[in-house]
Amino acid sequence: MSSIDHSSPSNGRQIMTKILLPFKWCWKQLKRINLTIWIFTSMVVGVLLGWLAPDFSVNLQPISNVFLYMIQCLIVPLIFSTLTVGISGHGDDVAKIGRLALKSIIYFEILTVFALALGTAMANLLKPGSGVSLNGVDAGEGNEMSNSTTMTWESELYSIVPKSFFEAASGNEVLQIVFCAIVFSIAMIKAPNHVKQPMLTFLSSLSELMFIVTRIVMNFAPFGIGASLAYTIGKSGVGILVTLGKLLGCFYLSLVIFIVVILLPNVLLARIPLKGFIKCIGQPTLIGFSTASSEAALPLAMENLQNFGVPKSIVAFVMPVGYSFNLAGTTLYLALASIFAAQAGGINMPLGQQVVMMFTLMLTSKGVAAVPRASLVILSATLKSYNLPLEAVAVIMGVDALMDMGRTGINIIGNCLATVVMAKWENDFGKTMEEDQVSLEDELEAGPDDKQHDIKEQTYHHY
């Protein structure tokens, strides 16, 4: 009579394999879900968690902050290495950089004017401040913020040129890092080849490694995004949406109009592939929107733009500069919020005074990136300068976190579009991809059959 020994090691492994099989199948299916779907899922979970369990959700901010800290660690080495390689390693034409800078600034200012005009028009048309009472509202915090920063031409100049590179790096001062990178690049261009080449090799390697680190960090994005939304909804509460729903609705309607009337025609006029562009900006915009942080989206946006066909030199220059000069969502918000304050305070501002105030906002908003609690500080200073009620700032703060998400998303879309438009303007769009395709085809002709197969696979996945 024979018997089966169930306790033997081989049988034990077979039983364990059968038990783990469903889990392996589930893990395989989960790995097939792309990052965009995970981000959408985390956003829904975060909103529901903030609504249904607000007391628990307000304790999730550290998870969101940790994700943002991980992203912020990437900003300085990524921008410095990419911009330096882009300028000094892809041609010695310094005049081209100057031309690109001039075109970028002109483009940024035109968009800023359109954003301010749209925000002012929507505020006068829909009057979101009408019926809002400021009685009993404490203006203390608005006064404190208006006095916290003095906006002068000197302070704006200092925000460009750092006292120390390491001080600028520790504070993630993007515009100052760009300034240092440009000066360093010019020095590399003028240096002899034996001095330039080792540094160029090092920075090229650093740039590539930082993009790999970016992809690793992005795996944590759903956790940080879900925690950020849960905290925001849990802290503000759903009731605030009812109280200031008109202001919030007016703001997001303005953003939609800005996309359709201003940004979309730019895409069509520049003949940018719309489907490809939407795919390029999708994940960075979602990350920026849900975390209300432009920095969180910068590394992934830069990588996606290069994959989309924008040369590294243009991406590395236009994107960081745009973070200080191309803030269409923020300027639209400031215009709308300023008129809202006047309406809530019962002040009838003549159109001429509104135009002067918009011109002031066009200048002062350039310093937003370097100012803590940026938009509210600029708004408070502007209201104080034009004798508008600072109590409105305290009211707006109730929904500022939700409005910050929208203006950050528009800022990211606007900067990505500006980068592609500049590449089109310079006739450089898609050249990098064409060069990669030629080099791959050359390898195909020279390589053996198995190598050809590998290169074909790389080509398929790349394009």
Side-chain angles (χ1 to χ4, degrees), residues 69-337:
Y69 295 161
M70 292 168 68
I71 293 291
Q72 288 168 358
C73 289
L74 309 176
I75 300 297
V76 173
L78 179 62
I79 290 178
F80 187 84
S81 62
T82 307
L83 182 54
T84 304
V85 171
I87 295 175
S88 61
H90 291 76
D92 296 345
D93 188 2
V94 180
K96 180 178 179 180
I97 300 300
R99 186 173 67 249
L100 180 63
L102 180 61
K103 289 179 179 179
S104 300
I105 296 299
I106 293 173
Y107 179 85
F108 294 158
E109 292 308 311
I110 292 173
L111 274 190
T112 299
V113 170
F114 277 121
L116 288 170
L118 178 60
T120 305
M122 293 295 289
N124 284 286
L125 183 64
L126 300 181
K127 302 187 184 303
S130 299
V132 176
S133 175
L134 300 180
N135 294 330
V137 179
D138 185 13
E141 192 159 2
N143 275 308
E144 183 181 338
M145 283 190 287
S146 66
N147 296 326
S148 62
T149 303
T150 303
M151 304 296 296
T152 64
W153 72 270
E154 294 178 31
S155 64
E156 294 301 295
L157 190 60
Y158 293 151
S159 69
I160 298 175
V161 183
K163 291 185 292 184
S164 164
F165 171 80
F166 297 100
E167 183 179 340
S170 64
N172 269 350
E173 300 292 348
V174 173
L175 197 57
Q176 294 180 358
I177 297 301
V178 169
F179 175 83
C180 292
I182 291 174
V183 174
F184 193 79
S185 301
I186 294 173
M188 285 181 62
I189 290 172
K190 294 180 176 296
N193 192 58
H194 74 277
V195 174
K196 171 184 175 179
Q197 199 58 46
M199 182 58 69
L200 189 59
T201 302
F202 167 73
L203 290 174
S204 297
S205 299
L206 178 61
S207 175
E208 294 298 325
L209 284 170
M210 292 313 300
F211 281 121
I212 295 173
V213 174
T214 297
R215 288 193 286 272
I216 295 173
V217 172
M218 282 303 117
N219 291 324
F220 296 92
F223 299 101
I225 288 170
S228 177
L229 280 174
Y231 169 78
T232 301
I233 300 297
K235 183 179 178 181
S236 300
V238 182
I240 195 71
L241 301 179
V242 179
T243 307
L244 294 174
K246 190 175 181 180
L247 173 62
L248 203 60
C250 181
F251 173 68
Y252 274 94
L253 178 60
S254 301
L255 295 184
V256 172
I257 293 174
F258 184 78
I259 292 174
V260 174
V261 176
I262 308 298
L263 298 184
L264 184 58
N266 281 343
V267 174
L268 300 178
L269 287 173
R271 296 183 179 180
I272 298 170
L274 182 58
K275 185 177 179 180
F277 180 69
I278 292 173
K279 185 178 180 180
C280 171
I281 66 172
Q283 289 183 4
T285 304
L286 282 175
I287 291 171
F289 175 84
S290 52
T291 60
S293 170
S294 295
E295 286 184 342
L298 179 59
L300 185 61
M302 292 177 68
E303 181 180 12
N304 285 1
L305 285 167
Q306 289 185 44
N307 294 335
F308 187 50
V310 182
K312 181 183 293 186
S313 56
I314 294 180
V315 172
F317 180 82
V318 178
M319 280 296 288
V321 172
Y323 270 51
S324 291
F325 290 93
N326 188 30
L327 301 168
T330 301
T331 49
L332 192 154
Y333 159 83
L334 289 171
L336 184 63

Side-chain angles (χ1 to χ4, degrees), residues 90 430-440 442 463:
H90 291 76
K431 285 187 177 180
T432 304
M433 295 176 67
E434 291 172 6
E435 291 170 0
D436 290 345
Q437 179 68 36
V438 170
S439 64
L440 285 170
D442 291 341
Y463 296 103

